[in-house]
Structure formats: C-alpha cells, structure tokens
Coordinates of all heavy atoms in Angstrom, one line a residue:
K19 N 0.8 -1.2 0.0 CA 0.0 0.0 0.0 C 0.8 1.3 0.0 O 0.4 2.3 -0.5 CB -0.9 0.0 1.2 CG -2.0 -1.1 1.2 CD -2.9 -1.0 2.4 CE -4.0 -2.1 2.3 NZ -5.0 -2.0 3.4
S20 N 2.0 1.2 0.6 CA 2.9 2.4 0.7 C 3.4 2.8 -0.7 O 3.9 3.9 -0.9 CB 4.1 2.1 1.6 OG 4.9 1.1 1.0
Q21 N 3.2 1.9 -1.7 CA 3.7 2.2 -3.1 C 2.6 3.0 -3.9 O 2.8 3.3 -5.0 CB 4.0 0.9 -3.8 CG 5.2 0.1 -3.1 CD 5.4 -1.2 -3.8 OE1 5.6 -1.3 -5.1 NE2 5.4 -2.3 -3.1
G22 N 1.5 3.2 -3.2 CA 0.4 4.0 -3.9 C -0.8 3.2 -4.2 O -0.8 2.0 -4.3
Y23 N -1.9 3.9 -4.4 CA -3.2 3.2 -4.6 C -3.2 2.4 -5.8 O -3.8 1.3 -5.8 CB -4.3 4.3 -4.6 CG -5.7 3.6 -5.0 CD1 -6.3 2.8 -4.0 CD2 -6.3 3.8 -6.2 CE1 -7.5 2.2 -4.3 CE2 -7.5 3.2 -6.5 CZ -8.1 2.4 -5.6 OH -9.3 1.7 -5.9
Q24 N -2.6 2.8 -6.9 CA -2.7 2.1 -8.2 C -2.0 0.7 -8.0 O -2.5 -0.3 -8.6 CB -2.1 2.9 -9.3 CG -2.9 4.1 -9.7 CD -4.3 3.8 -10.1 OE1 -4.6 2.8 -10.7 NE2 -5.2 4.7 -9.7
V25 N -0.9 0.7 -7.3 CA -0.2 -0.6 -7.0 C -1.1 -1.5 -6.2 O -1.3 -2.7 -6.4 CB 1.1 -0.4 -6.4 CG1 1.8 -1.7 -6.0 CG2 2.1 0.4 -7.3
E26 N -1.6 -0.9 -5.1 CA -2.5 -1.6 -4.2 C -3.7 -2.2 -4.9 O -4.1 -3.4 -4.8 CB -3.0 -0.7 -3.1 CG -4.0 -1.3 -2.1 CD -4.6 -0.3 -1.2 OE1 -4.1 0.9 -1.2 OE2 -5.6 -0.6 -0.5
R27 N -4.4 -1.4 -5.8 CA -5.5 -1.8 -6.5 C -5.2 -2.9 -7.5 O -6.0 -3.9 -7.6 CB -6.1 -0.6 -7.3 CG -7.3 -0.9 -8.1 CD -7.8 0.4 -8.8 NE -9.0 0.1 -9.6 CZ -9.0 -0.3 -10.9 NH1 -7.8 -0.5 -11.5 NH2 -10.1 -0.6 -11.5
A28 N -4.1 -2.8 -8.2 CA -3.7 -3.9 -9.1 C -3.5 -5.2 -8.5 O -3.9 -6.3 -9.0 CB -2.4 -3.4 -9.9
V29 N -3.0 -5.2 -7.3 CA -2.7 -6.5 -6.6 C -3.9 -7.1 -5.9 O -4.3 -8.2 -6.1 CB -1.5 -6.3 -5.6 CG1 -1.4 -7.6 -4.7 CG2 -0.2 -6.0 -6.3
Y30 N -4.5 -6.3 -5.0 CA -5.6 -6.8 -4.1 C -7.0 -6.7 -4.7 O -7.8 -7.5 -4.3 CB -5.5 -6.1 -2.8 CG -4.2 -6.3 -2.1 CD1 -3.3 -5.3 -1.9 CD2 -3.9 -7.6 -1.6 CE1 -2.1 -5.5 -1.3 CE2 -2.7 -7.8 -0.9 CZ -1.8 -6.7 -0.8 OH -0.6 -6.9 -0.1
L31 N -7.2 -5.8 -5.6 CA -8.6 -5.7 -6.2 C -8.7 -6.4 -7.6 O -9.7 -6.9 -7.9 CB -9.0 -4.2 -6.3 CG -9.3 -3.5 -5.0 CD1 -9.6 -2.0 -5.2 CD2 -10.5 -4.1 -4.3
I32 N -7.6 -6.3 -8.4 CA -7.7 -6.8 -9.7 C -7.1 -8.3 -9.8 O -7.8 -9.2 -10.4 CB -6.9 -5.9 -10.7 CG1 -7.4 -4.5 -10.6 CG2 -7.0 -6.5 -12.1 CD1 -8.9 -4.3 -11.0
E33 N -6.0 -8.5 -9.2 CA -5.3 -9.8 -9.3 C -5.8 -10.9 -8.4 O -5.7 -12.0 -8.7 CB -3.8 -9.6 -9.1 CG -2.9 -10.7 -9.5 CD -1.5 -10.3 -9.5 OE1 -1.1 -9.3 -9.0 OE2 -0.6 -11.2 -9.9
Q34 N -6.4 -10.5 -7.3 CA -6.8 -11.5 -6.3 C -8.1 -12.2 -6.6 O -9.1 -11.5 -6.9 CB -6.9 -10.8 -4.9 CG -7.2 -11.7 -3.8 CD -7.1 -11.0 -2.4 OE1 -6.9 -11.7 -1.4 NE2 -7.3 -9.7 -2.3
S35 N -8.2 -13.5 -6.4 CA -9.4 -14.3 -6.4 C -9.3 -15.2 -5.2 O -8.4 -15.2 -4.5 CB -9.5 -15.1 -7.8 OG -9.8 -14.2 -8.8
F36 N -10.4 -16.0 -5.1 CA -10.5 -16.8 -3.8 C -10.9 -18.3 -4.1 O -11.7 -18.6 -4.9 CB -11.6 -16.2 -3.0 CG -11.5 -14.7 -2.8 CD1 -12.4 -13.8 -3.3 CD2 -10.4 -14.2 -2.1 CE1 -12.2 -12.4 -3.2 CE2 -10.2 -12.8 -1.9 CZ -11.2 -11.9 -2.5
N37 N -10.3 -19.1 -3.3 CA -10.6 -20.5 -3.2 C -11.1 -20.8 -1.8 O -10.4 -21.0 -0.9 CB -9.4 -21.4 -3.5 CG -9.8 -22.8 -3.9 OD1 -10.8 -23.3 -3.4 ND2 -9.0 -23.5 -4.7
I38 N -12.4 -20.6 -1.6 CA -13.1 -20.6 -0.3 C -13.0 -21.9 0.4 O -13.3 -23.0 -0.2 CB -14.5 -20.1 -0.4 CG1 -14.5 -18.6 -1.0 CG2 -15.2 -20.1 0.9 CD1 -13.8 -17.6 -0.2
D39 N -12.7 -21.9 1.7 CA -12.8 -23.0 2.6 C -14.3 -23.2 2.9 O -14.8 -22.5 3.7 CB -12.0 -22.8 3.8 CG -11.9 -24.0 4.8 OD1 -12.9 -24.8 4.7 OD2 -11.0 -24.1 5.6
V40 N -14.9 -24.2 2.3 CA -16.4 -24.4 2.4 C -16.7 -24.8 3.8 O -17.9 -24.5 4.3 CB -16.9 -25.3 1.4 CG1 -16.8 -24.8 0.0 CG2 -16.3 -26.7 1.5
V41 N -15.8 -25.4 4.5 CA -16.1 -25.8 5.9 C -16.2 -24.6 6.8 O -17.1 -24.4 7.6 CB -15.1 -26.8 6.5 CG1 -15.3 -27.1 7.9 CG2 -15.1 -28.1 5.7
R42 N -15.3 -23.7 6.6 CA -15.3 -22.4 7.4 C -16.5 -21.6 7.0 O -17.2 -21.0 7.9 CB -14.0 -21.6 7.1 CG -12.8 -22.1 7.8 CD -11.6 -21.1 7.6 NE -12.0 -19.8 8.2 CZ -11.8 -18.6 7.6 NH1 -11.4 -18.6 6.4 NH2 -12.1 -17.5 8.3
L43 N -16.8 -21.5 5.7 CA -17.9 -20.7 5.3 C -19.3 -21.3 5.7 O -20.2 -20.5 6.1 CB -17.9 -20.6 3.7 CG -19.1 -19.7 3.1 CD1 -19.0 -18.3 3.6 CD2 -19.0 -19.7 1.6
N44 N -19.3 -22.6 5.9 CA -20.5 -23.3 6.4 C -20.9 -22.7 7.7 O -22.0 -22.4 8.0 CB -20.3 -24.8 6.4 CG -21.5 -25.5 7.0 OD1 -21.7 -25.5 8.2 ND2 -22.2 -26.2 6.1

C-alpha cells in the first residue's frame, strides 16, 4: 500500500481471487 493506490488496486482488487474453505464458510 505504501507504493500508492494504483499498485494496491492492481494487486488486491484486480489480481486477487478466492478458493473458499467451504467448511469455514458453512
């Protein structure tokens, strides 16, 4: 995040997806 919003956005908002632990979500 210290590198600026555009870097933060590219990594955590654009690049990130999820493989959800269905037991936890249950």
Side-chain angles (χ1 to χ4, degrees):
K19 294 182 179 182
S20 68
Q21 299 176 51
Y23 174 71
Q24 292 304 322
V25 174
E26 175 188 354
R27 180 177 181 274
V29 173
Y30 297 111
L31 290 174
I32 304 300
E33 195 171 4
Q34 184 172 206
S35 289
F36 310 112
N37 198 329
I38 298 298
D39 182 336
V40 293
V41 175
R42 285 186 63 228
L43 182 60
N44 178 287

